[in-house]
Amino acid sequence: MTRSPSRATTGAPPHAQYDEALRLGILREATRRLRGAAPEQLGLRPLAASQGTSTTAIYTMFGGKSGLLAAVAEEADRMLADALRESLRHDSVETDMRSLCRAYRRWALENQGLYALVVGEPVRSPRVGADRRDPQSHDPQWREPLLEIVDALVDEGVFRATDVHEAATAIWASLHGVVSLELSVWRESPSAEQYFETQLAAILRSWAAAGGARPASAAGPATSSIGMVG
């Protein structure tokens, strides 16, 4: 009887069956499971079983759970960036700014677990190969649309003259703060959206160029004033 050659005799690598299709399957399923779950809730055994493999595959291809979470964070970063870009209609920079901020909130609410990875817990899931000593060496993709809109607002004189990176960072800090409060405290509150809109209006007013924002009583909801909520 003829025996099939073993990997030892053929020289094939011990994990030759761990191909790109399996890696992508694991990554996509992990991303799906983490949409509404905290990173610590991701079990490697059930994840591997769902792809017809063992946890050895995850350790071989991702280096373990931390490496897998880093890969999911990269994917979530791309997803958030896409969602922000898709929110832009380019009617005006003021409208685009509001649309982007609302899209940020909406994505966070719909993807709470992924949001924690890509925004709330960057230390837990470091970018592969990034220099941790230099935060600017690996700016996430989702920051790019925000930077572009803030740059346009400054360039068109809607926002006061300022450093674009500093302004974008300060605006993000305010957005992240109010979104985090909604996720942790106001999730069931019927007033959560209004809290967000109030904060958004305050953010835009605080960066408006002199004379660029008008009080609500001076304009209707259709106005394009940067100080308005609508």
Side-chain angles (χ1 to χ4, degrees):
M1 181 177 63
T2 303
R3 299 176 58 186
S4 299
S6 66
R7 289 194 183 97
T9 58
T10 60
H15 302 300
Q17 73 273 32
Y18 298 159
D19 58 13
E20 182 64 12
L22 178 59
R23 192 189 75 83
L24 287 176
I26 292 172
L27 178 58
R28 287 169 182 160
E29 179 61 16
T31 301
R32 186 190 70 79
R33 294 185 179 212
L34 284 170
R35 282 183 181 272
E40 56 269 20
Q41 294 177 303
L42 181 66
L44 297 190
R45 289 187 181 223
L47 173 62
S50 74
Q51 302 302 303
T53 188
S54 69
T55 56
T56 303
I58 296 175
Y59 282 91
T60 299
M61 292 186 287
F62 295 97
K65 187 170 183 176
S66 61
L68 176 59
L69 290 178
V72 172
E74 293 283 0
E75 179 66 9
D77 179 21
R78 181 194 61 76
M79 291 167 61
L80 177 53
D82 288 348
L84 297 184
R85 288 198 181 281
E86 288 169 5
S87 72
L88 306 181
R89 297 293 180 267
H90 306 297
D91 296 327
S92 70
V93 288
E94 297 100 321
T95 299
D96 273 353
M97 184 64 184
R98 293 191 192 92
S99 295
L100 182 144
C101 292
R102 289 166 181 157
Y104 179 94
R105 170 182 176 261
R106 185 166 55 250
W107 191 89
L109 295 178
E110 294 173 354
N111 302 276
Q112 185 172 351
L114 297 179
Y115 182 74
L117 273 176
V118 76
V119 177
E121 302 180 22
V123 176
R124 177 178 297 208
S125 53
R127 299 295 185 268
V128 176
D131 183 354
R132 295 188 190 184
R133 295 169 299 178
D134 181 9
Q136 299 303 316
S137 69
H138 56 282
D139 268 359
Q141 294 181 56
W142 67 262
R143 277 181 58 91
E144 294 174 7
L146 176 60
L147 284 167
E148 290 169 12
I149 292 298
V150 172
D151 186 45
L153 286 164
V154 172
D155 186 58
E156 294 187 18
V158 180
F159 274 9
R160 65 179 183 270
T162 187
D163 181 273
V164 171
H165 279 81
E166 290 183 4
T169 298
I171 290 168
W172 167 75
S174 295
L175 286 175
H176 178 54
V178 69
V179 167
S180 296
L181 280 170
E182 180 169 0
L183 289 172
S184 61
V185 180
W186 302 329
R187 193 61 187 265
E188 305 302 324
S189 172
S191 301
E193 184 173 4
Q194 185 54 51
Y195 294 155
F196 175 84
E197 291 294 338
T198 299
Q199 179 69 2
L200 175 57
I203 291 170
L204 300 180
R205 280 196 301 269
S206 70
W207 291 98
R214 290 180 291 167
S217 60
T223 181
S224 63
S225 168
I226 198 67
M228 293 298 296
V229 173

